[in-house]
Amino acid sequence: MDIVLSGIRPTGHLHLGNYFGALRNFTKMQHEHRCYFFIADLHSLTTHPKSDNFHDNVRNVLAEYLAAGLDPDVATIYVQSDIPEIAELYVLLNMLAYQGELERTSSFKEKVRKHSDNVNAGLLTYPVLMASDILIHRAHKVPVGKDQEQHLEMTRTLARRFNNLYGVGVFPEPTAFNFGNELIKIPGLDGSGKMGKSEGNGIFLVDDEKTIAKKVMRAVTDSGPTQLQSKMSEPVRNIFTILEAVATPDTVAHFRKQYDLCTIRYGDLKKQLAADIWRAIAPIHTRIAEIKADRDYLRRITLHGAANARESARATLKEVKKAVGFKAF
Ligand code: TYM
């Protein structure tokens, strides 16, 4: 049985990228494997060190993930900061992570560009904390979107380095996972780049039918294909990528054909896309408010999850410390 782990930063509502990139894979696997799911609240401090609604954000994301199909009876669901063993492993792994390789990480370079006023050490060592999240449960598979591929590579490097240095086999080398397919990137509606929590280009699971229709109708396209210029532009390709995630293959083929024949009407394409997005998320959408209001339920889940996760984390840390050479007097 594989150990599967997935996580999310609580920096905004859950969007289609999170759902189709990582969560849907996870919920499909949760009944067949030992699954851990957590809210990466420590990670969110790297970019949002102080937030008035820190706890609300954690609660929102937790409720949205539960509404989207996480099953607390089979998966262990917890909040990262409730597991101090993760921070302890992070300290140890930091000794094995080199400045050069951390500085070369694309996510670090991007964050430096976006948050040049707050390039803190936590940002630099973000991949080490992420590796600690994964290695603390000795996970084999990590369902993630394409944007996390490099972090998984770094996790494998640190696992291998630890095993080699101490001559042990404590850590397996985990892989980024999407059912044998390529990892996916759900693009935003603004024509370029990926859908994000705070890029203003996303469709969120908390959005209602009307909001979704409005956002989709405003999505960036182009002036349409012609016999002379039929190469698909990035904004239109992005619309098709989202359509592929939510619609049937027949629907996608229908619009592809119209595009190739240069008879496509983007208004029709968008109407269809909005309808299919709503069909995909309506059942999730309706459960969110109910779950969020049930604080007792959320408390029980996170307490129970933390107890389970700590048990697994303690067992790993015991082996790690033994390998490093810590001993009681
Ligand atoms: P985060 O919070 O940015 O996103 C959570 C998950 O959603 C995926 N995702 C996407 N997939 C496809 N298209 C998109 N547009 C898109 N946007 C987000 C992400 O790939 C991710 O799987 N560093 C992580 C959180 C984390 C984590 C971990 C994940 C911390 N520790 C350990 C897995 C394992 C992050 O920032 O994800």
Side-chain angles (χ1 to χ4, degrees):
M1 192 198 285
D2 280 331
I3 298 176
V4 181
L5 174 131
S6 182
I8 184 169
R9 277 171 306 134
T11 50
H13 289 290
L14 200 69
H15 54 71
L16 288 185
N18 301 133
Y19 181 65
F20 287 105
L23 175 64
R24 211 172 42 145
N25 287 328
F26 185 85
T27 54
K28 277 195 206 162
M29 301 172 88
Q30 64 185 341
H31 294 278
E32 281 111 58
H33 301 283
R34 174 127 48 94
C35 286
Y36 294 92
F37 177 84
F38 74 99
I39 314 279
D41 57 348
L42 295 174
H43 273 108
S44 70
L45 297 176
T46 59
T47 50
H48 299 66
K50 185 169 186 290
S51 142
D52 293 335
N53 42 10
F54 189 58
H55 182 71
D56 278 349
N57 291 344
V58 173
R59 192 159 65 98
N60 282 341
V61 170
L62 179 60
E64 288 163 20
Y65 262 74
L66 286 163
L70 275 192
D71 183 347
D73 288 333
V74 293
T76 295
I77 301 166
Y78 59 95
V79 178
Q80 187 186 30
S81 60
D82 282 340
I83 318 297
E85 289 80 7
I86 296 172
E88 208 172 335
L89 181 59
Y90 169 60
V91 171
L92 297 173
L93 291 181
N94 264 324
M95 315 305 172
L96 306 185
Y98 303 122
Q99 181 186 353
E101 63 191 346
L102 293 171
E103 281 174 349
R104 280 193 299 276
T105 316
S106 329
S107 60
F108 178 68
K109 290 197 256 180
E110 190 191 321
K111 295 271 164 59
V112 170
R113 236 183 301 121
K114 281 193 185 160
H115 306 268
S116 54
D117 55 332
N118 182 25
V119 183
N120 58 72
L123 265 188
L124 182 68
T125 56
Y126 186 107
V128 186
L129 182 55
M130 187 157 158
S132 308
D133 293 326
I134 298 169
L135 298 178
I136 199 75
H137 299 302
R138 290 175 269 186
H140 303 101
K141 289 191 171 125
V142 187
V144 283
K146 183 123 187 94
D147 59 324
Q148 300 297 320
E149 203 167 25
Q150 201 182 23
H151 289 155
L152 262 294
E153 182 67 54
M154 184 80 194
T155 302
R156 283 192 290 277
T157 302
L158 290 172
R160 210 177 310 125
R161 207 171 277 162
F162 183 95
N163 287 344
N164 289 343
L165 181 66
Y166 298 112
V168 289
V170 174
F171 296 126
E173 290 186 28
T175 46
F177 189 74
N178 183 12
F179 290 101
N181 300 322
E182 283 245 327
L183 301 183
I184 65 165
K185 175 179 106 175
I186 298 287
L189 296 171
D190 50 355
S192 69
K194 66 170 179 167
M195 189 173 285
K197 296 193 196 84
S198 45
E199 325 296 331
N201 67 1
I203 292 198
F204 300 95
L205 302 188
V206 288
D207 287 344
D208 59 20
E209 189 174 6
K210 250 181 152 171
T211 309
I212 292 171
K214 239 200 224 150
K215 286 183 175 178
V216 172
M217 294 320 276
R218 277 203 306 255
V220 177
T221 49
D222 57 24
S223 52
T226 62
Q227 301 299 343
L228 289 174
Q229 173 51 285
S230 63
K231 190 172 176 295
M232 210 179 261
S233 67
E234 188 182 357
V236 176
R237 215 167 47 236
N238 287 352
I239 302 264
F240 271 97
T241 304
I242 304 176
L243 190 71
E244 277 161 20
V246 292
T248 64
D250 282 353
T251 303
V252 179
H254 168 77
F255 284 100
R256 283 287 324 201
K257 192 168 163 207
Q258 289 200 340
Y259 184 92
D260 291 341
L261 295 171
C262 301
T263 55
I264 193 161
R265 285 174 17 180
Y266 290 147
D268 294 344
L269 171 68
K270 286 176 169 181
K271 257 194 211 135
Q272 182 71 43
L273 177 62
D276 280 322
I277 291 176
W278 178 241
R279 200 176 37 79
I281 71 169
I284 302 172
H285 175 91
T286 52
R287 284 194 295 266
I288 293 174
E290 192 189 324
I291 293 178
K292 204 171 123 183
D294 196 342
R295 285 175 187 261
D296 235 32
Y297 174 64
L298 296 177
R299 204 174 87 87
R300 261 184 289 130
I301 288 175
T302 46
L303 277 177
H304 177 68
N308 273 350
R310 285 199 75 181
E311 198 180 314
S312 149
R314 273 195 213 106
T316 302
L317 205 54
K318 198 170 161 199
E319 287 199 33
V320 167
K321 285 177 147 179
K322 192 169 142 213
V324 174
F326 289 106
K327 259 189 195 165
F329 280 92

